[in-house]
Amino acid sequence: MKIARVQGYRNRQALIKISFIIIVFFFIYRAFSITDIIANDLSLKLKASNNSEFTIIEKSIRGNILDRNNNLLAINLIHKKINLDPMILQDEYIDLLAEALNIPTDEFREKIRQKRENKRKYYIVKEKLRVNDPILSNIAELKSKRVDICLKEFKLPSNNLADKVKLLVGLKLEAKEKIEDENCTRQSIAGVAIESSGFRYYPKKDSVAALIGKTNINNIGVFGIESEYDQYLAGFDGNKRLADNKNGSNIYYDPELIKKFKEGADLNLTIDSDIQFHVYNAIKEQAEFHEADSAAAIVLSPNGEILALTNYPSTDPNNHQNYSADDYRNRVFSDKTEPGSTMKPFTMLLALDKGVITATEDELIDVTTRVGNILPDKKYTEMTIQRILEKSHNLGTVMVAENIENEEFYNTWKMLGFGSSLGLMPGTENPGVLRHYSNWGSADKRSLSFGHGPMNTNLAQLARAYLVFANEGAIPSLKLFKDNSTPDNLEQVFSPESTKRIAEILDSVASDNGSGYRAVIDGYSVAGKTGTAEMVIDGEYSKDGAKRTYFIGFSPAENPKYIMAVRLDYPKKCFVSWDPTMRNRCEGSNSASMAFQKAMKRILINDPDIKSKFEG
C-alpha cells in the first residue's frame, strides 16, 4: 500500500526545524547572560560572590598587669566548659556521660529529661574547668568510643509473593498492621562539645582589688586600673575578609585586611606585690582589732613611685558569686578628708623658712593666751617647737601660724599639691579642695595650720607632701607606672636646712616622748606625725564621736627609703598602752600609729638592704 504525503509536508517540517533551532539558541543565550540578571538591585553574580566570602574576626587578647618585679597582678587564663545538646544525645551514652562528668546518674538523667521536655539544645553542664581537669580527659576518652545505638521504628511489613500477584492483577490488598523494627549501628557520642573561653585572673586576690579592679563578663574593665586604662589593656579586634578565586577556583586567597588586629598592652606598675601584701594584711588586722569601718594605706619611695596602695574592706576579684561595689572603692584616691594634725609639720616648715621661728631648744612659744576658739589647756605655759609637735599641741601651732600671711600659706600648700589632681587615676581620684586665701577669715588660717578649715585632701596627696623629708625639701610627682625614661621633676618647696630640722623633730614624735610612741619599731628609726579629724557626715561634723585617725611617717628617719600614710575610719575600740584591757578614746596615737607600725615593721624586716640596729 502506497502512503501519500500530506500537502505542505516539507514546509511544515522546515518550520519545525527552524523553531527548534531558535529555542536552542535562546537557551544558550540565557545560559551565558543569566549572571547579568538583576534581582532586588543585586546581580546574581554578586550574590554568588557574596556567598563565597566571609569575615574572620580576630579576637584581641587583654594585656597583663604586672608589678615592678614582673609579678603578675592580672592575667588572662583559659578555661574549658562542656556544652551538651540533649536533643541529639543518645540514650545509650547518658549513664557513661554522667560517669565521665562525675555527676550522679539519676540526677543527670532527670536533668536531660527536663531539657528535652523544654526542647533545649544548649546545656552547659560543666564550666570553668582547668585545662588539666580529669573530666576533660574522661570526655576525650568517651568521645573515642563507639557503642551500639539501636533505633526502633514501626513500619509496614514487606509484601510477600501472593501480595505481589494481587497487585499485578489489580486486586486491592488487605490493610496490614505496622510492626516494630530495630536497627542497630555502632556510633560515637553525639551532642557533646568542649569549648574554650578566656577569663581574667588575679593572683594577688583581695590585697589588690581596689587598685587593680576587675573586668565584667565581657572582659571590659569596670573598676580600678582595669577600668581607667581599659583602652590600653583591651586592644581591639581585627577583621579580615576571605574570598574564593574569581575565576572559579575553590582555592581561597590570603585574607583581605579590613581592620588591623591589635593585642592589649601590658602595664607594668611601680607596685611591689610583696609590700602590698604586707601592708594590706597589717591594716586589715588593725581595722578589725580597732573595729574600724574601713582603712587605707599608701607606701611611696623617695622618687614618688607608689610601692603599695591598699584598702580594707576588700574582696577577691576572682569570686564572681559575691559582689559589692564598696569592696572596690579606692579610698586612698577617692575619699577627700580633713588631714588633721598631720599638717602641723608643714606649718612649722613654712614658719622656719620664713624666719618666724628658729626651732631651737631654747626657743619657747607662749601657750597661755586664747586665740580665737583655741583655748589654753592649762597643762603647758611655754613650749618648744619640738614639744609642740611631740604633743600635737593645737594652740602652740596656732601661735606660730599667726605670724604667717594667708597668701604664704596658700602658695605653699598649693606647691605641696593640695587641691590639684595627681593625674594617675582621673576617674577615681577626688582632688580635694584648697579654698583661695582671698576668701579666708582669721579662723580659717588658724584651723588650716593644724589640718582643718579651708582644705581637704586625699590620702595619696597627703603622703606625697611628706616626700619633702626624703628629698631635702623638694617634692616629686607620684608615679604608678614603671617607666625608667620618665625624668624626675622635683619642685623645691622648703629649704634643705629647714626640712632636716623638722625631720629630726618628727623622729622624736615617733618615740616614747611623742604622740607617735606606738609607731616605734625596735631596731629601726622611724619619724612621723599622728593626726585625728572628726568625720563630716551629711555636711556636719559627727556628733557620735566618729573620727578618722592618721599616721604619716617614714623610715629610716635619715635618708628615708619608705614613706607611708595610714588612715583608719571610725575606729571604736582603743586601749591605753599600759593596760590592754582599759578602753580609751580613739586617736591617731592609739590606732593609726599601730597600723603603721605593723605594716612598716613587716616591710623593713623583709628588706635585706636595711639592717636592724640589733644586727652586727
Side-chain angles (χ1 to χ4, degrees):
M1 181 176 65
K2 185 178 181 180
I3 301 175
R5 294 183 181 274
V6 179
Q7 186 178 5
Y9 167 78
R10 292 183 181 277
N11 293 334
R12 286 194 291 272
Q13 188 179 50
L15 180 61
I16 291 171
K17 289 179 179 180
I18 292 170
S19 299
F20 178 76
I21 292 171
I22 292 173
I23 291 172
V24 170
F25 274 105
F26 176 77
F27 278 106
I28 292 173
Y29 168 77
R30 296 302 290 169
F32 280 102
S33 63
I34 191 70
T35 56
D36 294 324
I37 296 175
I38 302 301
N40 296 324
D41 296 326
L42 189 67
S43 71
L44 293 180
K45 182 177 180 179
L46 182 57
K47 280 188 174 183
S49 177
N50 286 346
N51 288 336
S52 65
E53 295 178 355
F54 60 91
T55 300
I56 301 173
I57 298 177
E58 293 183 294
K59 296 291 289 183
S60 66
I61 299 174
R62 194 172 182 85
N64 299 322
I65 303 176
L66 306 98
D67 78 346
R68 67 189 298 111
N69 300 312
N70 292 320
N71 294 311
L72 288 165
L73 303 178
I75 185 176
N76 291 305
L77 294 180
I78 301 297
H79 63 193
K80 302 285 186 177
K81 60 183 177 181
I82 300 174
N83 178 25
L84 303 183
D85 183 347
M87 305 304 294
I88 63 173
L89 175 65
Q90 305 98 320
D91 290 343
E92 288 83 352
Y93 274 107
I94 291 178
D95 291 354
L96 294 172
L97 184 55
E99 182 181 353
L101 294 168
N102 294 329
I103 298 175
T105 303
D106 292 342
E107 177 186 326
F108 186 63
R109 279 188 168 275
E110 176 60 21
K111 199 69 178 178
I112 294 297
R113 184 192 65 78
Q114 293 174 2
K115 296 293 182 182
R116 286 175 173 174
E117 279 186 358
N118 295 312
K119 294 183 170 49
R120 301 294 185 190
K121 295 178 66 63
Y122 192 80
Y123 171 32
I124 302 296
V125 65
K126 289 284 185 179
E127 58 182 336
K128 295 182 181 178
L129 298 174
R130 295 181 180 270
V131 292
N132 60 349
D133 194 296
I135 288 178
L136 298 175
S137 300
N138 296 343
I139 296 298
E141 182 179 349
L142 182 59
K143 294 183 79 169
S144 67
K145 291 183 178 180
R146 297 175 73 87
V147 301
D148 287 332
I149 306 296
C150 297
L151 299 177
K152 295 180 180 180
E153 60 180 344
F154 288 89
K155 62 181 182 179
L156 293 173
S158 302
N159 293 330
N160 54 28
L161 183 59
D163 293 334
K164 292 178 181 178
V165 172
K166 288 180 181 180
L167 290 173
L168 188 60
V169 299
L171 297 177
K172 186 177 182 181
L173 298 179
E174 295 178 0
K176 296 179 180 180
E177 292 185 359
K178 291 183 177 181
I179 61 173
E180 186 178 67
D181 183 53
E182 186 175 68
N183 181 27
C184 295
T185 57
R186 293 188 67 78
Q187 299 178 14
S188 57
I189 191 170
V192 179
I194 298 176
E195 300 175 354
S196 299
S197 59
F199 70 101
R200 199 69 161 164
Y201 181 69
Y202 303 93
K204 304 303 179 181
K205 301 181 180 179
D206 47 1
S207 69
V208 299
L211 173 62
I212 304 299
K214 66 175 293 187
T215 58
N216 61 16
I217 58 174
N218 296 317
N219 215 24
I220 298 172
V222 290
F223 291 108
I225 289 173
E226 292 277 32
S227 174
E228 295 272 357
Y229 295 90
D230 186 72
Q231 59 179 322
Y232 301 103
L233 290 163
F236 48 81
D237 296 342
N239 292 323
K240 291 182 178 180
R241 182 183 295 116
L242 199 63
D244 67 355
N245 189 332
K246 302 303 181 184
N247 294 324
S249 170
N250 290 325
I251 300 174
Y252 282 85
Y253 286 110
D254 290 337
E256 175 190 353
L257 181 64
I258 301 173
K259 181 180 178 183
K260 189 176 181 181
F261 160 85
K262 183 180 180 181
E263 290 188 0
D266 291 346
L267 293 181
N268 270 85
L269 308 185
T270 58
I271 296 295
D272 185 312
S273 56
D274 291 334
I275 295 177
Q276 180 87 6
F277 177 79
H278 294 316
V279 175
Y280 171 73
N281 283 325
I283 67 167
K284 176 184 177 183
E285 171 190 303
Q286 291 302 305
E288 291 175 349
F289 175 78
H290 291 98
E291 296 183 358
D293 289 350
S294 57
I298 181 172
V299 181
L300 306 176
S301 66
N303 66 353
E305 290 183 339
I306 300 175
L307 302 177
L309 191 157
T310 189
N311 296 265
Y312 176 83
S314 185
T315 188
D316 182 356
N318 301 306
N319 182 358
H320 300 286
Q321 303 301 317
N322 300 316
Y323 164 77
S324 170
D326 196 54
D327 290 337
Y328 291 95
R329 181 176 167 189
N330 192 330
R331 294 170 172 82
V332 174
F333 281 132
S334 66
D335 292 0
K336 64 175 184 178
T337 64
E338 292 183 335
S341 296
T342 59
M343 295 300 296
K344 288 175 181 174
F346 303 115
T347 298
M348 298 306 180
L349 271 170
L350 177 58
L352 190 54
D353 263 356
K354 295 297 179 183
V356 172
I357 58 173
T358 61
T360 56
E361 293 181 2
D362 59 354
E363 180 186 33
L364 297 175
I365 306 298
D366 178 32
V367 291
T368 60
T369 305
R370 171 176 177 167
V371 180
N373 293 324
I374 313 300
L375 302 175
D377 57 12
K378 298 182 180 180
K379 187 175 181 180
Y380 300 99
T381 56
E382 293 180 325
M383 302 178 75
T384 63
I385 297 300
Q386 179 168 326
R387 198 66 170 165
I388 290 172
L389 287 177
E390 284 179 348
K391 299 305 178 182
S392 197
H393 201 272
N394 285 353
L395 182 56
T397 305
V398 168
M399 292 297 293
V400 172
E402 287 292 274
N403 298 301
I404 302 174
E405 297 296 329
N406 289 3
E407 185 177 358
E408 294 173 333
F409 258 120
Y410 177 83
N411 290 338
T412 303
W413 264 228
K414 200 71 178 173
M415 291 173 68
L416 288 170
F418 296 114
S420 302
S421 175
L422 294 167
L424 298 176
M425 298 181 70
T428 302
E429 185 188 358
N430 189 327
V433 173
L434 177 60
R435 187 154 39 91
H436 195 267
Y437 67 89
S438 60
N439 296 318
W440 294 359
S442 57
D444 287 321
K445 182 178 72 172
R446 295 164 188 161
S447 57
L448 182 73
S449 69
F450 54 88
H452 297 276
M455 76 163 294
N456 50 49
T457 184
N458 63 49
L459 195 63
Q461 290 175 332
L462 185 57
R464 178 181 176 240
Y466 271 73
L467 287 175
V468 297
F469 297 108
N471 292 283
E472 297 184 326
I475 186 170
S477 300
L478 291 194
K479 306 172 188 67
L480 183 56
F481 300 98
K482 193 71 177 171
D483 184 1
N484 295 327
S485 64
T486 303
D488 287 331
N489 295 317
L490 293 170
E491 182 174 13
Q492 198 71 39
V493 184
F494 305 108
S495 69
E497 297 76 18
S498 297
T499 306
K500 181 180 179 181
R501 175 56 187 146
I502 299 302
E504 291 172 350
I505 293 175
L506 293 183
D507 189 4
S508 69
V509 172
S511 70
D512 292 339
N513 296 321
S515 61
Y517 63 99
R518 283 187 167 175
V520 173
I521 303 172
D522 290 341
Y524 300 93
S525 62
V526 175
K529 184 68 185 74
T530 57
T532 307
E534 292 183 356
M535 294 178 65
V536 177
I537 300 175
D538 297 329
E540 296 181 354
Y541 287 107
S542 170
K543 297 174 181 167
D544 300 323
K547 297 178 181 178
R548 287 190 170 94
T549 65
Y550 299 86
F551 190 88
I552 323 295
F554 46 93
S555 184
E558 292 186 26
N559 300 316
K561 185 174 182 179
Y562 301 105
I563 299 88
M564 182 191 300
V566 177
R567 190 188 82 223
L568 299 184
D569 298 327
Y570 197 7
K572 306 171 191 64
K573 193 166 85 172
C574 298
F575 303 90
V576 298
S577 59
W578 60 88
D579 186 347
T581 64
M582 184 180 296
R583 297 283 289 266
N584 194 11
R585 66 180 184 177
C586 289
E587 306 284 350
S589 60
N590 58 14
S591 56
S593 60
M594 294 172 66
F596 173 93
Q597 192 268 357
K598 295 290 184 183
M600 185 62 82
K601 182 178 180 180
R602 293 172 189 178
I603 295 171
L604 296 175
I605 63 177
N606 283 283
D607 187 336
D609 296 330
I610 296 180
K611 302 297 182 183
S612 166
K613 295 176 184 177
F614 302 129
E615 298 181 46

